[in-house]
Amino acid sequence: GLSRVRPILITAVTTCAAMIPLALGNAEYVEAIGPPFAITVIGGLSLSTLLTLVYIPMLYNGIEQALEWIGAQKLVVKIFLLVLEVAGMLLVLLYLETFVWKMAAGLLVIVGIPVAWWFISNSLRKASERIIDEESDIHIQVSNLVKIYGRESRMVREFKAGGRLARIARIADRALKPRLEALIWQLPLLGFLVYFSWFYLVSGFWQLVSSAVAYYYLAAIIGNFSRISVQRLLQFLLELVRYGAPLGVLVIFQLRWDNLPMSLVAGILWYLVIAIGRVSIRIKQKDFELKQVRPLVRWFFWFVSVLPGLGKGPEQFKALKGVSLEIGTGMFGLLGPNGAGKSTMIRIICGILEQSYGKIWINGIDTQEKREELQGLIGYLPQEFGMYENMSSYAYLDYLAVLKGITDQDERAKRIREVLESVHMWDQRKKKIGAYSGGMKQRIGIAQVLLHLPRILVVDEPTAGLDPRERIRFRNLLVELSATRVVIFSTHIIEDISSSCNTMAVINRGEVLFNGTPSEMTGIARGRVWKSSLPAEKFEEKTRDMLVVHHMRDGRNIRFRAIFAEKPFEDAVEESPLLEDAYLWLLRSDKEKHGKV
C-alpha cells in the first residue's frame, strides 16, 4: 500500500490536471464534446482513486475481521448461522421476482444475519464471576498503566498526526531555495485560479467562492516565506494580503455586478471568518487568559473559545504515568495525597474509566477484552455515593438485590441477612437510612456491594470524615472481608494502612514511589528521623531545611522530631521510624526530584 500510493496519486492528479483545459474550452469545435468528456474523466478518475485508496482496503479489512470473528465462534453457532443464511436465501429466491430486489435482499441476508448475531451476543453479555474458577485465587496485574484526561479520540489523533509531522518538517526546514523552486508551479496555479474566478465563471456567487480559495492560497504562499524570514516587508505584505485582499475582491465584485446587499453580506462573513481564525490561534496559545482581553471584545473571544474545534478544548492532564503493580488476596493499601491518581487507578480497575495506555489482567484475562464478564467479580464503593434515605436498610438492600438479578424471595432474604450481619447492622435493619451515622451509612454501602458476593472489593477513601471509633470499626470489617477476597483500600490516612494492610503502594503525581509491605516501607526512613531540642529563637532558622513532624514547647526551648537525610546537630538522637515518617520522606524526596527537574 505504501509503495503504491505515490504512483496512483501522481497518475490521477496529472491526468485530471491535463483534462482541465479541455473542460474549460469554449471554442466552437470543442464545446460540443470536449467539456462533457473531460468532466466525466475527471470525476470518474477522482472517484476511482478514492475507491482504490480508501474504500477497497477498508472493505477487505472488514471482510477479514468478519471471517476471523466467524472462525472464532463455536461449531453450534456456525451451523446455526449457516442454516439461517440458507433459509434466508431460499426466501429471497422464492418470494422476490425482480433481479434488483433479489440482489439487495440477498446482500442484506448475507451481511445482516452475522451482524445481528454479533450485536445480540455482545448486548447480552453479562457480568459473571464464572469466568474465573471459584477455587482459584484472584491475582491482579497492572502493567504500565497511563491515563490522560482530555485526550483526543484515536480518529482525531491519527487525523492530526500528518499535520503535526508536516509542521515539524516546516519548522526544521529553514532553507529559502526549495521555497523559491516551489514558486515554479505555485504561481501558475495562482494565476489559473484568478483566471478561473474572474474570466471563466459567469456566476457572481461562484466568483466570490473561487476568489476566497485563491485568497487563502496566496496567504499560504506568503506565510510560508514569512516563517523563515523576519523581514518587515514580508510581514507587512502578509498583513496587507490578509486584511486588504478581501476588500479589493469585494470592490471588483460590486463594480461588476452592482449588487450592494450581496457585497455587504459577503464582506461581513469574510472578515468574520478571518477574525474567528485569528482569535482561535490566540486562544490556543499556552499563555492565553480570557481575563486579560479587553472587556469590549472579551465576549467575542469567549464565543470563539466555546466553538467546537476552534476553541482551546480540554487541557490534557496525565493522571497516571506508567503505574505497574501486582495485587493478591488480602488487604492492599493504596496510599497517597489528594490528587495523586488513586481514584483514577481504581476506577480503571473497576472498568468505569478506560486507560490511555497499558494493561490490567485479572488472572491473566485482559480487562479491556472481557470488561462486562469480569465486572461480576468486582464490588466498588466510591468515596461519595447516594442512597434512598427514606427507606429502611432492609428495604433498600431488597430493592438492590432484585436489580442485581436475585429474584428468588427466599434466597434474597437469606443474602440480605448475611450481608447485614457481616457488617454488624442486622439489629438496625428497620431504621431509615437517613437516621444512620456516617459510619453506619458506609457499612450499608459495603453491604450493598457484598450482595453479589464479589471476589474483588474496592473502596475509595472509605474512612474520610468518620470519627475514630467508626473508622476503627470500618477498618476491622474490611480486614475480616479480606480473608477470602482481594480488598483494595485507597486512602490518604496512614494509620488505616499501618493497622490493616498486608501490602501497600504509595502513589504521587501519578507515579508509584513504593510497592511492598508496611514494614519494608518503614525501613526506608531508617537513619533519617531525629529528635532534638533548640532554643525557641533559633528554631525556625535551624530547621528551615528539615521536615518537622511535630514539636513542643519546653520552657525556653522547643523539643521536636524531624526528618533529615543526615544527623543535623551533635546532640540529635536517632529515632525509630514510623510508617508516617517513611511516607513523608518519600513525598519530600519526590518533591525535591521534580523540583530539580
Side-chain angles (χ1 to χ4, degrees):
L2 292 174
S3 62
R4 292 297 298 163
V5 165
R6 185 186 296 265
I8 290 173
L9 289 177
I10 289 176
T11 302
V13 170
T14 52
T15 306
C16 291
M19 286 290 175
I20 288 176
L22 186 60
L24 299 178
N26 55 10
E28 182 179 355
Y29 60 89
V30 174
E31 191 174 7
I33 191 173
F37 171 76
I39 292 171
T40 302
V41 171
I42 292 172
L45 191 57
S46 302
L47 180 60
S48 63
T49 302
L50 185 66
L51 293 175
T52 302
L53 296 180
V54 179
Y55 178 76
I56 298 299
M58 290 176 63
L59 178 63
Y60 271 86
N61 187 44
I63 292 174
E64 287 180 0
Q65 291 183 0
L67 292 175
E68 184 180 351
W69 174 79
I70 292 174
Q73 301 301 307
K74 296 180 180 179
L75 180 60
V76 177
V77 175
K78 293 179 182 177
I79 296 173
F80 177 70
L81 292 177
L82 181 61
V83 170
L84 288 180
E85 293 278 2
V86 172
M89 292 303 295
L90 287 175
L91 291 174
V92 170
L93 294 173
L94 293 175
Y95 291 96
L96 295 179
E97 296 181 359
T98 61
F99 177 75
V100 174
W101 281 110
K102 285 183 179 181
M103 287 289 293
L107 182 63
L108 182 62
V109 168
I110 293 173
V111 177
I113 290 177
V115 169
W117 179 260
W118 174 85
F119 178 77
I120 293 171
S121 61
N122 279 274
S123 300
L124 295 180
R125 282 196 302 175
K126 291 185 177 181
S128 172
E129 64 274 8
R130 297 177 184 174
I131 194 172
I132 295 178
D133 185 12
E134 295 182 1
E135 302 298 327
S136 302
D137 291 333
I138 298 295
H139 180 263
I140 304 173
Q141 183 179 358
V142 181
S143 178
N144 196 30
L145 196 64
V146 176
K147 176 61 180 177
I148 304 174
Y149 287 104
R151 187 173 180 237
E152 296 169 332
S153 65
R154 180 180 176 182
M155 183 187 303
V156 174
R157 294 198 309 271
E158 293 183 356
F159 181 78
K160 291 184 176 180
R164 283 195 293 268
L165 291 175
R167 285 195 298 271
I168 293 172
R170 286 197 300 267
I171 293 172
D173 184 14
R174 294 285 180 176
L176 179 63
K177 184 179 179 181
R179 288 170 170 78
L180 292 174
E181 292 176 346
L183 291 178
I184 296 174
W185 62 269
Q186 289 174 347
L187 292 180
L189 181 57
L190 180 63
F192 168 75
L193 288 174
V194 173
Y195 162 78
F196 183 74
S197 303
W198 296 102
F199 298 97
Y200 182 80
L201 294 175
V202 295
S203 169
F205 172 78
W206 289 111
Q207 283 183 346
L208 284 176
V209 173
S210 183
S211 298
V213 173
Y215 158 77
Y216 282 106
Y217 183 58
L218 176 60
I221 294 175
I222 300 175
N224 194 24
F225 280 92
S226 66
R227 292 188 186 96
I228 63 171
S229 176
V230 293
Q231 294 184 7
R232 292 184 178 180
L233 180 60
L234 276 177
Q235 299 295 330
F236 173 76
L237 182 61
L238 179 61
E239 296 299 317
L240 180 63
V241 169
R242 179 175 291 156
Y243 299 108
L247 181 61
V249 170
L250 293 170
V251 169
I252 296 173
F253 177 83
Q254 176 62 23
L255 292 176
R256 173 175 290 191
W257 296 99
D258 192 20
N259 190 342
L260 185 59
M262 183 69 173
S263 300
L264 291 176
V265 171
I268 292 172
L269 291 177
W270 200 333
Y271 279 103
L272 180 63
V273 170
I274 294 173
I276 290 175
R278 302 305 298 171
V279 170
S280 176
I281 295 173
R282 178 70 183 94
I283 287 172
K284 292 179 180 180
Q285 295 177 355
K286 292 183 178 180
D287 60 343
F288 173 78
E289 290 186 11
L290 187 61
K291 61 183 180 181
Q292 295 178 350
V293 181
R294 295 178 181 177
L296 184 63
V297 293
R298 187 177 299 169
W299 66 270
F300 186 72
F301 277 74
W302 172 85
F303 171 72
V304 176
S305 68
V306 299
L307 291 177
L310 296 176
K312 195 168 188 178
E315 294 186 5
Q316 293 191 2
F317 170 69
K318 187 178 285 188
L320 295 177
K321 307 173 184 177
V323 173
S324 297
L325 296 170
E326 292 194 11
I327 305 172
T329 303
M331 281 277 285
F332 180 84
L334 201 57
L335 185 62
N338 292 326
K342 305 186 300 297
S343 297
T344 298
M345 194 186 85
I346 63 178
R347 286 174 184 170
I348 294 174
I349 292 175
C350 294
I352 299 171
L353 298 177
E354 188 170 353
Q355 62 263 40
S356 302
Y357 303 101
K359 289 290 184 180
I360 298 177
W361 291 278
I362 298 178
N363 284 30
I365 301 174
D366 190 346
T367 56
Q368 284 183 304
E369 295 180 0
K370 301 287 185 180
R371 173 176 292 184
E372 291 83 0
E373 292 88 343
L374 288 170
Q375 281 185 340
L377 295 168
I378 302 172
Y380 175 47
L381 182 67
Q383 183 177 356
E384 296 180 0
F385 58 94
M387 293 185 288
Y388 298 119
E389 298 195 350
N390 61 329
M391 299 174 67
S392 67
S393 59
Y394 189 95
Y396 174 67
L397 293 176
D398 185 69
Y399 167 68
L400 289 179
V402 173
L403 295 182
K404 291 177 181 290
I406 309 174
T407 55
D408 184 83
Q409 186 174 358
D410 294 335
E411 182 184 356
R412 195 163 63 245
K414 179 182 177 183
R415 185 75 62 82
I416 293 171
R417 183 183 181 97
E418 288 176 353
V419 297
L420 284 175
E421 287 180 346
S422 68
V423 298
H424 311 294
M425 289 291 292
W426 175 251
D427 295 336
Q428 308 290 333
R429 67 188 181 279
K430 295 182 180 180
K431 287 185 178 181
K432 289 187 176 181
I433 296 176
Y436 289 166
S437 66
M440 296 169 76
K441 289 180 180 178
Q442 291 279 26
R443 281 189 267 171
I444 295 299
I446 284 289
Q448 76 177 47
V449 170
L450 295 176
L451 277 173
H452 68 293
L453 301 177
R455 302 180 65 187
I456 301 172
L457 183 60
V458 182
V459 288
D460 186 11
E461 304 280 1
T463 59
L466 300 183
D467 60 59
R469 185 178 61 178
E470 291 285 359
R471 193 166 76 243
I472 291 171
R473 287 178 179 175
F474 192 80
R475 217 164 50 205
N476 293 337
L477 171 61
L478 293 178
V479 172
E480 293 176 15
L481 296 173
S482 68
T484 57
R485 52 178 53 85
V486 175
V487 177
I488 301 177
F489 184 27
S490 170
T491 184
H492 61 272
I493 301 175
I494 300 172
E495 183 183 353
D496 292 339
I497 299 291
S498 60
S499 59
S500 59
C501 295
N502 312 102
T503 56
M504 62 172 294
V506 178
I507 293 182
N508 190 34
R509 304 173 192 266
E511 299 176 343
V512 177
L513 304 184
F514 173 81
N515 183 20
T517 64
S519 59
E520 290 172 346
M521 180 173 165
T522 303
I524 293 175
R526 188 166 288 111
R528 296 182 173 92
V529 183
W530 310 93
K531 183 176 70 173
S532 185
S533 178
L534 286 172
E537 62 273 10
K538 296 183 179 180
F539 176 75
E540 185 175 351
E541 178 185 354
K542 294 288 186 180
T543 61
R544 186 172 299 158
D545 297 331
M546 302 181 191
L547 182 59
V548 178
V549 180
H550 61 76
H551 61 280
M552 181 180 296
R553 190 90 180 191
D554 184 14
R556 294 183 177 180
N557 293 337
I558 295 179
R559 291 185 290 111
F560 64 95
R561 192 170 186 268
I563 299 174
F564 199 62
E566 54 190 18
K567 189 174 183 177
F569 312 113
E570 288 295 330
D571 59 345
V573 179
E574 182 180 345
E575 288 275 282
S576 298
L578 303 174
L579 187 64
E580 180 183 17
D581 300 324
Y583 174 66
L584 294 174
W585 171 256
L586 279 174
L587 295 184
R588 179 185 176 91
S589 302
D590 184 60
K591 182 179 180 181
E592 291 177 351
K593 181 181 71 174
H594 283 84
K596 291 178 181 178
V597 173

